[in-house]
Amino acid sequence: MTEMRPVTEAAAIKAPTLPDAQTVTQVKHWTDRLFSFRVTRPASLRFRSGEFVMIGLLGDNGKPLLRAYSIASPAWDEELEFYSIKVQDGPLTSKLQHIQPGDEIILRPKPVGTLVHDALLPGKRIWFFATGTGFAPFASLLREPQTYEDYDEVIITHTCRQVAELEYGRQLIEEVRQDELLAELMGEGFADKIRYYPTTTREESPRMGRITELLKDGTVFSDLGIEGGIKPETDRAMVCGSLAFNHDIKAILEEFGLTEGANSDPREFVIEKAFVG
């Protein structure tokens, strides 16, 4: 039960200036199009790794300008992390990209979303399919111990236009593999379960092509040494990207015999419909 404290004059002076305000603690710009940031976490906020919340700033009209953002940090983290694209003429991101530590953002503490373990039936292998900043919910799930409790193999595919746009995900996966706390909880071999499959579509890289095409022609399975492709008996999947990407991956998964699930009806795969980018 939360301890009740009297409002003092000092506390009143430090009261936030925005509704549902949280304070920015860290900002990192990865490219001229991508950045991540961390903010304080409301003491009352409880969420499942993979969910999203509404965050934003005040618009020019003085009213809250909010967008859905997946929480990139795991449910156990003391702060909240977000990963965002920069749109120069975007109503929100044109302003959000300029935040600095100490600034405030609006955060509505009502997490929701479909990219959660509860929405999937038990399986042996899980696929995380992401494009661009759609990597964010998987940044949360990759740091969630339950992911490694539930699955023998965790495959994360991340498709971006340029190599630099993969850096946030690459660094995060490297940090997860070396995470001493996860190793203590899950055993030293937990990192061997992670299989990272990055691809680029415009800039030359070790692995070129859209993940959808690489799935259709079997390249992914050949590269990873997986026989028979994706199987509904053993494989589970989560998808987060543009609307077109989500639609294409859904069609591919259904061709393999998988069925889309939801929080109220767990099945073999789920798609985050709130995310576009």
Side-chain angles (χ1 to χ4, degrees), residues 16-22 56 58 62-64 66 104-108:
T17 57
L18 296 178
D20 295 315
Q22 295 301 318
L58 288 182
K63 296 181 179 180
L66 304 172
E104 293 177 348
I105 68 163
I106 301 168
L107 188 150
R108 295 286 164 78

Side-chain angles (χ1 to χ4, degrees), residues 114-183:
T114 57
L115 300 186
V116 294
H117 287 303
D118 294 344
L120 293 176
L121 294 171
K124 294 185 177 180
R125 178 194 294 129
I126 189 165
W127 297 77
F128 294 148
F129 294 108
T131 59
T133 53
F135 187 90
F138 305 132
S140 175
L141 287 158
L142 284 165
R143 292 181 275 192
E144 171 57 57
Q146 185 181 348
T147 300
Y148 307 99
E149 291 176 355
D150 290 355
Y151 298 98
D152 298 330
E153 196 171 5
V154 180
I155 301 175
I156 172 72
T157 79
H158 191 198
T159 300
C160 294
R161 297 185 304 176
Q162 300 173 328
V163 174
E165 296 174 342
L166 294 166
E167 192 61 16
Y168 172 81
R170 188 197 68 77
Q171 286 192 25
L172 185 138
I173 289 172
E174 190 60 32
E175 290 171 1
V176 169
R177 283 173 169 159
Q178 298 177 15
D179 191 293
E180 294 180 357
L181 179 58
L182 277 174

Side-chain angles (χ1 to χ4, degrees), residues 235-250:
D235 292 65
R236 304 294 175 258
M238 295 185 179
V239 187
C240 190
S242 66
L243 289 176
F245 173 77
N246 290 354
H247 181 270
D248 290 345
I249 291 288
K250 176 180 179 177

Side-chain angles (χ1 to χ4, degrees), residues 136-270:
F138 305 132
S140 175
L141 287 158
L142 284 165
R143 292 181 275 192
E144 171 57 57
Q146 185 181 348
T147 300
Y148 307 99
E149 291 176 355
D150 290 355
Y151 298 98
D152 298 330
E153 196 171 5
V154 180
I155 301 175
I156 172 72
T157 79
H158 191 198
T159 300
C160 294
R161 297 185 304 176
Q162 300 173 328
V163 174
E165 296 174 342
L166 294 166
E167 192 61 16
Y168 172 81
R170 188 197 68 77
Q171 286 192 25
L172 185 138
I173 289 172
E174 190 60 32
E175 290 171 1
V176 169
R177 283 173 169 159
Q178 298 177 15
D179 191 293
E180 294 180 357
L181 179 58
L182 277 174
E184 184 177 338
L185 288 172
M186 309 311 303
E188 291 293 340
F190 91 94
D192 296 335
K193 294 185 176 185
I194 304 171
R195 308 195 70 183
Y196 178 44
Y197 196 87
T199 71
T200 57
T201 57
R202 296 190 184 180
E203 184 180 0
E204 192 72 27
S205 73
R207 196 175 282 116
M208 298 282 295
R210 299 183 183 281
I211 191 65
T212 46
E213 296 304 319
L214 298 174
L215 285 166
K216 289 177 181 177
D217 66 16
T219 299
V220 173
F221 309 119
S222 176
D223 288 345
L224 296 175
I226 295 173
E227 295 183 5
I230 296 173
K231 304 180 184 69
E233 298 80 15
T234 55
D235 292 65
R236 304 294 175 258
M238 295 185 179
V239 187
C240 190
S242 66
L243 289 176
F245 173 77
N246 290 354
H247 181 270
D248 290 345
I249 291 288
K250 176 180 179 177
I252 291 171
L253 293 174
E254 289 178 341
E255 286 179 7
F256 277 112
L258 277 66
T259 304
E260 184 176 0
N263 280 279
S264 59
D265 184 22
R267 294 298 179 94
E268 290 84 37
F269 76 90
V270 286

Side-chain angles (χ1 to χ4, degrees), residues 31-50:
T31 72
D32 59 356
R33 296 182 64 251
L34 299 167
F35 71 109
S36 61
F37 58 98
R38 294 177 69 86
V39 304
T40 54
R41 176 174 176 170
S44 61
L45 177 61
R46 298 290 181 270
F47 69 95
R48 295 174 296 176
S49 294

Side-chain angles (χ1 to χ4, degrees), residues 55-69:
I55 68 172
L57 299 167
L58 288 182
D60 295 335
N61 60 1
K63 296 181 179 180
L65 181 60
L66 304 172
R67 295 288 185 272
Y69 270 75

